[in-house]
């Protein structure tokens, strides 16, 4: 089985990812915004003879390094290991797409042109003569549609065909004056038998005339250069004169533009003129001067409302399901330690994270919709003016929104920003956009401390508050650490497109699977670890001591209970006696009667509950003491002073620290810690109720604020380091986020205490 | 000289020259803003900081600062 590696190249939003998906049925990430594909994603396909691998490169408008993700593609095309290029074009915007194609043709690689979006082109009355185009370019051009899967098989066959045959040089023809000069240079090279491996004379000539560095580096070393130079100078002089321009880049651009235009007139025919009227009409509303922003805010609000309200039902089912599972499994296990590990460790920990899967799915679906419909770039348009005031860029919106899903892809999405300072600044702020993993913490606390009817709004407020903090932080950083020039804002507004359901399904599905995998592996391990360090070492002394105290109390309770019984027995006697008592005693005995039943039971009831309370308090105290003796307790005690001013107990402190591993772990840690401490009053109280009982409102809000701001998980921080390529900035990020989180949580706590 | 930031909404114009610095110029060109191309401002943001222009089969958003570098000629 032979392998073919294919580089998918094209401008943003032409459907590269969708095409890879259509060919291989894989789940690549697809988006409708420049730069959503930021990593080289790969998809695989097997035919009878070949294993074909597609590398879905970030879209780029030209081979000029404009932004970091375009650089990724260019580097790959120049140095990467691949067999042929599949250049994907948007048939509905052929001329502009051909500008990139001309640059690709100059690379002298095997290439196939996929004229994508054929379904849409046909609808818009655009007809491309692909056969004619193949002939003119001497490169196979195929009309395809990733949506309807039209011609996909032909495309695969052509790819294999081109791969098997030798490279046929493409015919990229320039203006006649330029062609004349190229011929002169090529003839000279031929006379002198000057060759460069893999390049024809004409291609070397093009490289020289376009002043390509790689070609110059080779030719310059050669003695021939002395003779060549005057010829080149002469040729350039002619070309400059002919084009009335003395900048080679401009000349190249004009040549390419002329070629693209010429080719279009040859192969393109438009039967009805209906240039993107639908998109313009939608935009007239969605980015309307006055309506645009309110609509945007409303859409965001609706997303968070849905996240909470729709997610609520399955969440309750999952929670009670796990509760049931814990109880039933618990009953079948005899070994106390094993039972505790499974029920309090694994089920409580993993269950508390899995519970939030429905919320996560809804949130990811929302983000996927933003990406695929084309609304994302409208939001960037709407927010640019506002963002600009805070030193950010409209394009920062994409990484920031991606940050609501997960910080890791968000850091990578920041590559669309050209300017390094803008990019770093955006990356610093991404942490303020609460990622999906923090959602469980918010849902838990919002559900515990607020009424269900407003919990969705609270959730929205938390996200908005985080975003506002981010903007303020951006402004502060902009005038201190990241002073510098603004990056220009130029961005394509892609057409609105209805994403196919399959596509959405793939995007949401792949992310949910990732979340589940994380719950099944990482969080499972973390839960077990937390359970272990919070259960061991066991301390028998405390257990015995409290056991004895409790027994003593129970004993007094029992004696009281017997007293009470005796009392009631006595009363019965008096009642009987009364019945038989003489009538003149009636008034007196009635008075006594009134007193007795009112006073006695009340007193005894009071005593009874107070003993029960005492026992419960002792039990709690016992658990506290035992927990404090464990490894986790020791760690908690060590960090307690740091968190005490924020109103956190040591359990919250520990949960915060464990959140560094992954934010979901915060909830599972709380789940394990409070489940362990709650063994006795196991009246199927949910974690939410336990939290509500154990944590004060002020502490809880301070906790939310802290979680909102402090360092994204370690994995994200590692990606930050990789993307920023700077240790200094990574350290700065850690210090900055921790300091901000602490200060803000402190303020929240203290202010709320004043009001309480 | 008339530039893109000065023309009214829905007024048609043709691009004459782009005066932007090198990399921005390349970017504008590869987004389809080349000499002779017909353009039209179709949408502006609230404070007119950002505009959306339509050209040929696509549309592009840019800030007023960038629009100032694009010299145009009004279509009669
Ligand atoms: N009608 C139609 N839409 C398509 C086709 N291919 C892709 N799309 C849509 O175009 C948008 C951008 O596609 P995507 O694969 O993200 O483009 P990329 O940036 O080149 O990877 C998505 O909403 C796709 O659903 C096609 O052949 N026909
Ligand atoms: Mg893509």
């Amino acid at each position: 089985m032979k392998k073919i590696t294919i580089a998918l190249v094209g401008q943003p939003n032409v459907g590269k990812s969708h095409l890879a998906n259509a060919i291989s049925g894989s789940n690549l990430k697809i988006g409708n915004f420049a730069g959503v594909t930021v990593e080289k994603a790969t998809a695989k396909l097997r035919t009878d003879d070949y294993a074909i691998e597609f590398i879905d490169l970030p879209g780029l408008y030209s081979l000029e390094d404009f932004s970091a993700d375009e650089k990724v593609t260019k580097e790959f095309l120049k140095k990467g290991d691949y067999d042929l290029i599949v250049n994907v074009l948007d048939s509905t915007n052929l001329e502009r797409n051909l500008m990139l194609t001309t640059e690709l043709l100059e690379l002298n690689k095997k290439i196939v042109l996929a004229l994508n979006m054929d379904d849409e082109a046909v609808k818009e009355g655009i007809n491309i003569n692909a056969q004619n185009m193949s002939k003119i370019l001497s490169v196979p051009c195929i009309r395809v549609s990733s949506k309807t899967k039209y011609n996909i098989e032909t495309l695969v066959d052509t790819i294999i065909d081109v791969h098997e045959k030798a490279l046929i040089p493409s015919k990229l023809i320039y203006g006649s004056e330029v062609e004349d000069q190229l011929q002169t240079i090529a003839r000279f090279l031929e006379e002198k038998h000057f060759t460069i491996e893999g390049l024809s004379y004409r291609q070397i000539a093009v490289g020289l005339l376009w002043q390509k560095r790689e070609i110059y580096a080779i030719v310059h070393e050669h003695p021939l250069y002395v003779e060549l130079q005057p010829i080149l100078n002469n040729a350039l002089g002619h070309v400059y004169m002919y084009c009335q321009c003395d900048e080679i880049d401009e000349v190249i651009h004009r040549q390419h533009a002329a070629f693209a235009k010429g080719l279009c007139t040859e192969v393109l025919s438009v039967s009805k003129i209906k240039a993107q009227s639908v998109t313009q009409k939608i935009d007239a509303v969605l980015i309307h001067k006055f309506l645009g922003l309110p609509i945007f805010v409303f859409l965001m609000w609706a997303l968070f409302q849905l996240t909470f309200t729709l997610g609520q039902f399955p969440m309750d089912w999952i929670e009670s399901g796990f509760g049931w599972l814990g109880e039933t499994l618990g009953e079948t296990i005899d070994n106390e330690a094993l039972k505790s590990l499974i029920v309090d460790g694994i089920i409580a920990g993993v269950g508390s994270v899995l519970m939030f899967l429905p919320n996560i799915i809804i949130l990811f679906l929302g983000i996927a919709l933003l990406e695929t419909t084309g609304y994302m770039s409208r939001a960037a348009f709407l927010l640019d003016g506002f963002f600009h005031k805070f030193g950010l860029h409209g394009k920062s919106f994409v990484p920031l929104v991606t940050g609501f899903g997960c910080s890791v892809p968000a850091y990578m999405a920041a590559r669309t920003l050209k300017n390094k300072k803008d990019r770093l600044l955006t990356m610093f702020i991404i942490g303020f956009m609460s990622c999906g993993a923090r959602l469980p913490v918010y849902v838990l606390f919002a559900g515990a401390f607020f009424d269900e009817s407003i919990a969705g709004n609270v959730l929205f407020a938390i996200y908005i508050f985080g975003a506002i903090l981010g903007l303020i932080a951006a402004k502060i950083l902009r005038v201190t650490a990241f002073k510098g020039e603004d990056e220009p804002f130029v961005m394509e507004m892609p057409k609105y497109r209805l994403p196919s359901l399959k596509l959405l399904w793939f995007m949401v599905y792949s992310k949910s699977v990732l979340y589940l995998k994380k719950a099944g592996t990482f969080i499972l391990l973390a839960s077990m670890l937390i359970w272990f360090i919070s259960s061991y070492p066991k301390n028998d002394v405390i257990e015995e001591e409290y056991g004895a105290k409790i027994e003593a109390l129970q004993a007094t309770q029992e004696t009281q209970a017997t007293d009470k019984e005796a009392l009631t027995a006595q009363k019965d006697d008096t009642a009987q006696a009364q019945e038989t008592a003489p009538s003149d005693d009636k008034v007196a005995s009635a008075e006594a009667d009134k007193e007795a039943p009112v006073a006695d039971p009340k007193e005894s009831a009071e005593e009874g509950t107070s003993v029960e309370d005492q026992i419960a308090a002792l039990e709690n105290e016992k658990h506290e003491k035992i927990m404090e003796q464990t490894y986790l307790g020791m760690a908690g005690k060590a960090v307690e002073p740091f968190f005490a001013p924020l109103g956190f107990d040591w359990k919250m402190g520990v949960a915060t620290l464990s959140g560094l591993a992954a934010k979901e772990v915060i909830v599972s840690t709380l789940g394990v810690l409070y489940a362990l401490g709650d063994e006795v009053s196991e009246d199927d109280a949910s974690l939410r109720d336990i939290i509500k009982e154990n944590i004060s409102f002020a502490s809880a809000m301070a906790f939310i604020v802290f979680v909102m701001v402090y360092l994204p998980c370690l994995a994200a921080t590692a990606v930050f380091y990789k993307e920023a390529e700077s240790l200094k900035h990574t350290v700065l990020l850690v210090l900055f986020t921790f300091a901000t989180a602490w200060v803000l949580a402190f303020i929240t706590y203290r202010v709320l205490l004043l009001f309480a | 000289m008339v530039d893109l930031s000065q023309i009214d909404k829905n007024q048609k114009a043709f691009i004459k020259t782009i005066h932007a610095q090198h990399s921005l110029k390349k970017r504008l060109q590869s987004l389809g803003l080349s000499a002779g191309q017909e353009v039209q401002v179709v949408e502006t943001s609230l404070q007119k900081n950002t505009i959306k222009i339509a050209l040929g089969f696509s549309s592009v958003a840019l800030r007023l600062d960038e629009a100032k570098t694009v010299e145009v000629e009004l279509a009669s």
Side-chain angles (χ1 to χ4, degrees):
Chain A
M1 176 91 59
K2 282 163 279 178
K3 196 177 145 198
I4 311 179
T5 309
I6 288 166
L8 276 177
V9 190
Q11 297 196 336
N13 306 311
V14 295
K16 296 176 296 298
S17 309
H18 201 161
L19 185 66
N21 213 317
I23 297 176
S24 61
S26 80
N27 50 350
L28 282 160
K29 189 181 158 83
I30 318 265
N32 203 3
F33 187 89
V36 166
T37 320
V38 282
E39 274 282 86
K40 285 177 292 194
T42 56
K44 292 196 176 79
L45 167 78
R46 280 175 189 279
T47 64
D48 296 339
D49 301 318
Y50 291 99
I52 305 181
E53 187 180 52
F54 290 89
I55 299 181
D56 181 24
L57 292 161
L60 80 176
Y61 290 103
S62 71
L63 289 184
E64 190 78 3
D65 314 321
F66 190 75
S67 63
D69 65 331
E70 294 189 357
K71 231 179 257 176
V72 171
T73 305
K74 191 183 158 192
E75 288 293 305
F76 186 82
L77 285 176
K78 293 234 155 114
K79 302 199 186 99
D81 184 20
Y82 61 95
D83 297 306
L84 65 96
I85 298 174
V86 170
N87 178 204
V88 186
L89 292 91
D90 176 355
S91 305
T92 63
N93 195 0
L94 189 66
E95 190 177 330
R96 203 196 70 198
N97 276 256
L98 279 172
M99 292 293 291
L100 175 66
T101 308
T102 53
E103 287 186 288
L104 293 174
L105 291 176
E106 282 179 357
L107 289 175
N108 302 308
K109 302 273 184 184
K110 287 183 180 177
I111 186 167
V112 173
L113 302 194
L115 307 170
N116 194 27
M117 310 255 179
D118 194 58
D119 57 318
E120 219 174 85
V122 169
K123 247 185 245 158
E124 289 178 21
I126 295 168
N127 186 41
I128 299 173
N129 188 336
Q131 271 157 346
N132 205 359
M133 193 166 161
S134 308
K135 232 180 269 163
I136 296 172
L137 291 171
S138 90
V139 162
C141 305
I142 297 147
R143 286 164 54 168
V144 297
S145 163
S146 343
K147 196 173 183 179
T148 60
K149 300 220 171 189
Y150 168 68
N151 259 350
I152 295 290
E153 275 165 32
T154 321
L155 179 66
V156 175
D157 292 342
T158 315
I159 288 170
I160 294 173
D161 193 47
V162 169
H163 176 69
E164 284 172 343
K165 287 191 187 136
L167 171 72
I168 305 167
S170 57
K171 285 191 223 143
L172 181 59
I173 300 153
Y174 306 102
S176 58
E177 192 71 13
V178 174
E179 285 293 335
D180 285 349
Q181 300 308 324
L182 284 175
Q183 259 173 34
T184 315
I185 301 169
R187 221 180 295 129
F188 172 79
L189 292 170
E190 197 174 350
E191 274 166 25
K192 302 287 173 185
H193 301 291
F194 180 85
T195 51
I196 296 176
E197 212 196 303
L199 295 185
S200 68
Y201 292 119
R202 185 190 142 88
Q203 283 164 345
I204 302 173
V206 172
L208 287 169
L209 195 61
W210 289 166
Q211 300 179 7
K212 292 264 163 15
R213 248 183 231 121
E214 315 86 77
I215 304 285
Y216 264 83
I218 301 169
V219 179
H220 206 265
E221 299 289 297
H222 207 276
L224 181 85
Y225 190 67
V226 186
E227 275 177 79
L228 182 66
Q229 209 183 10
I231 298 176
L232 269 181
N233 277 342
N234 189 3
L236 269 177
H238 269 96
V239 169
Y240 283 154
M241 204 168 70
Y242 166 68
C243 295
Q244 295 190 324
C245 157
D246 52 5
E247 235 185 290
I248 196 68
D249 281 329
E250 183 65 28
V251 172
I252 298 174
H253 171 75
R254 288 194 198 166
Q255 290 294 320
H256 285 173
F259 179 75
K261 194 166 197 145
L263 186 61
C264 276
T265 44
E266 296 270 336
V267 301
L268 187 78
S269 56
V270 184
S271 60
K272 49 183 167 184
I273 300 183
K274 194 191 133 222
Q276 50 169 304
S277 56
V278 178
T279 294
Q280 299 300 31
K281 270 181 201 148
I282 300 175
D283 264 352
V285 179
L286 288 188
I287 60 172
H288 185 272
K289 245 188 215 179
F290 302 111
L291 295 179
L293 271 175
I295 292 176
F296 169 75
V297 173
F298 171 76
L299 288 176
M300 293 293 132
W301 173 82
L303 176 61
F304 288 106
Q305 277 296 332
L306 277 183
T307 305
F308 199 86
T309 47
L310 263 189
Q312 187 64 46
F313 302 102
M315 193 172 130
D316 288 344
W317 302 333
I318 295 174
E319 189 172 18
S320 47
F322 271 97
W324 173 84
L325 187 70
E327 267 175 38
T328 14
L329 265 183
E331 274 166 20
T332 60
I333 303 169
D334 288 334
N335 184 319
E336 270 299 315
L338 188 66
K339 181 175 158 185
S340 173
L341 168 67
I342 290 179
V343 176
D344 300 325
I346 298 175
I347 294 180
V350 174
S352 56
V353 172
L354 279 189
M355 197 163 96
F356 298 99
L357 184 65
N359 303 82
I360 301 269
I361 288 178
I362 296 167
L363 187 69
F364 280 146
L365 182 67
I367 293 176
L369 272 174
L370 270 184
E371 281 176 358
T372 50
T373 52
Y375 187 66
M376 195 96 118
S377 39
R378 271 67 190 189
F381 175 89
L382 288 170
L383 294 177
D384 179 66
F386 181 65
F387 272 22
H388 200 189
K389 289 202 181 74
F390 292 91
L392 285 166
H393 191 271
K395 271 191 190 168
S396 310
F397 178 71
V398 187
L400 293 182
V401 163
T402 316
F404 284 125
C406 173
S407 298
V408 172
Y411 286 138
M412 298 198 286
R415 288 184 195 164
T416 35
L417 291 156
K418 176 176 145 280
N419 183 311
K420 180 96 191 192
K421 280 201 171 131
D422 278 337
R423 212 177 132 201
L424 275 172
L425 180 61
T426 306
M427 285 166 67
F428 260 78
I429 306 310
I430 283 171
F432 285 92
M433 308 303 128
S434 297
C435 66
R438 293 180 215 195
L439 182 66
V441 184
Y442 301 153
V443 174
L444 179 68
F445 278 76
F449 289 94
F450 294 94
D451 192 69
E452 208 159 288
S453 57
I454 59 159
N457 288 333
V458 170
L459 204 61
F460 182 62
I462 290 174
Y463 276 84
I464 289 289
F465 182 57
I468 291 172
L469 280 182
L471 286 179
I472 296 169
K475 186 73 196 172
I476 293 170
L477 286 170
R478 186 87 210 183
V479 295
T480 54
F482 298 107
K483 270 182 254 172
E485 268 201 23
D486 287 354
E487 175 177 334
F489 179 79
V490 262
M491 191 182 60
E492 190 191 0
M493 300 280 243
K495 269 188 201 164
Y496 284 110
R497 291 196 166 101
L498 266 186
S500 67
L501 282 178
K502 204 179 139 212
L503 206 85
L504 284 177
W505 160 251
F506 264 133
M507 293 175 73
V508 175
Y509 171 79
S510 55
K511 285 196 178 131
S512 311
V513 166
L514 269 185
Y515 186 81
L516 284 180
K517 267 192 192 152
K518 215 164 151 193
T521 53
F522 194 72
I523 291 167
L524 179 71
L525 282 178
S527 297
M528 283 162 72
L529 181 75
I530 299 276
W531 170 82
F532 177 78
I533 61 175
S534 60
S535 308
Y536 292 91
K538 287 245 182 259
N539 193 319
D540 294 335
V541 182
I542 293 178
E543 216 153 327
E544 271 168 31
E545 186 187 315
Y546 276 89
K549 276 191 198 169
I550 290 168
E551 258 168 41
L553 263 178
Q554 271 165 346
T556 53
Q557 194 188 23
E558 267 156 34
T559 42
Q560 268 181 3
T562 37
D563 283 356
K564 220 195 301 180
E565 267 165 36
L567 203 75
T568 23
Q570 224 178 5
K571 229 185 279 163
D572 283 350
D573 287 349
T574 33
Q576 270 169 3
Q578 271 167 12
E579 265 170 29
T580 49
S583 58
D584 52 294
D585 271 5
K586 246 186 185 162
V587 184
S589 68
E591 270 167 19
D593 221 301
K594 250 181 230 162
E595 265 169 32
V598 175
D600 280 351
K602 201 173 153 198
E603 237 168 63
S604 55
E606 249 171 26
E607 266 170 37
T609 38
S610 75
V611 173
E612 268 161 32
D613 270 354
Q614 272 174 323
I615 293 178
L618 271 180
E619 284 282 1
N620 274 341
E621 225 179 290
K622 177 178 115 183
H623 284 293
E624 286 278 344
K625 279 267 159 61
I626 290 177
M627 201 80 103
E628 277 164 21
Q629 296 294 316
T630 62
Y631 300 118
L632 190 70
M634 294 177 218
K637 285 282 167 228
V639 297
E640 198 173 18
F642 179 75
F643 288 114
L646 313 180
F648 294 9
D649 63 14
W650 67 269
K651 290 177 186 173
M652 290 158 84
V654 164
T656 322
L657 286 190
S658 68
L660 285 179
K663 292 285 182 290
E664 294 96 330
V665 177
I666 296 177
V667 172
S668 63
T669 306
L670 287 175
V672 173
L673 286 183
Y674 285 108
L676 279 176
D678 207 51
E679 260 167 352
V680 190
S681 56
E682 194 81 84
D683 39 20
D684 72 354
S686 66
L687 184 57
R688 188 185 286 184
D689 297 329
I690 300 168
I691 295 278
K692 196 174 174 177
E693 263 168 43
N694 286 286
I695 298 174
S696 76
F697 183 73
S699 304
M701 294 305 115
F703 189 69
I704 290 182
V705 169
F706 196 91
V707 170
M708 193 152 71
V709 181
Y710 86 124
L711 194 69
C713 64
L714 292 179
T717 312
V719 173
F720 179 93
Y721 173 66
K722 205 179 118 212
E723 291 291 319
E725 291 166 336
S726 148
L727 185 63
K728 193 185 102 191
H729 285 114
T730 315
V731 173
L732 189 64
L733 176 81
V734 175
L735 294 179
F736 176 72
T737 48
F738 262 110
T740 323
W742 199 92
V743 170
L744 290 174
F746 181 78
I747 294 171
T748 311
Y749 182 62
R750 295 293 149 180
V751 168
L752 284 177
L753 275 192
L754 282 185
F755 283 108
Chain B
M1 186 191 115
V2 188
D3 67 54
L4 205 48
S5 70
Q6 292 162 324
I7 62 173
D8 294 329
K9 200 172 151 181
N10 295 331
Q11 159 85 51
K12 283 193 174 127
F14 292 97
I15 294 178
K16 270 177 80 183
T17 10
I18 298 173
H19 299 285
Q21 45 88 350
H22 180 76
S23 71
L24 177 59
K25 183 173 174 181
K26 279 287 289 186
R27 170 59 17 138
L28 290 170
Q29 283 174 340
S30 48
L31 282 171
L33 285 90
S34 51
Q37 173 71 51
E38 188 187 86
V39 288
Q40 197 181 344
V41 176
V42 286
E43 224 71 57
T44 59
S45 69
L46 191 55
Q47 291 154 310
K48 210 170 183 275
N49 290 321
T50 329
I51 59 171
K52 179 191 162 190
I53 58 170
L55 29 94
F57 292 99
S58 57
S59 29
V60 172
L62 29 81
R63 272 194 206 136
L64 232 44
D65 289 342
E66 279 77 60
K68 285 200 178 94
T69 67
V70 182
E71 188 181 338
V72 295
E73 197 173 20
L74 296 187
S76 44

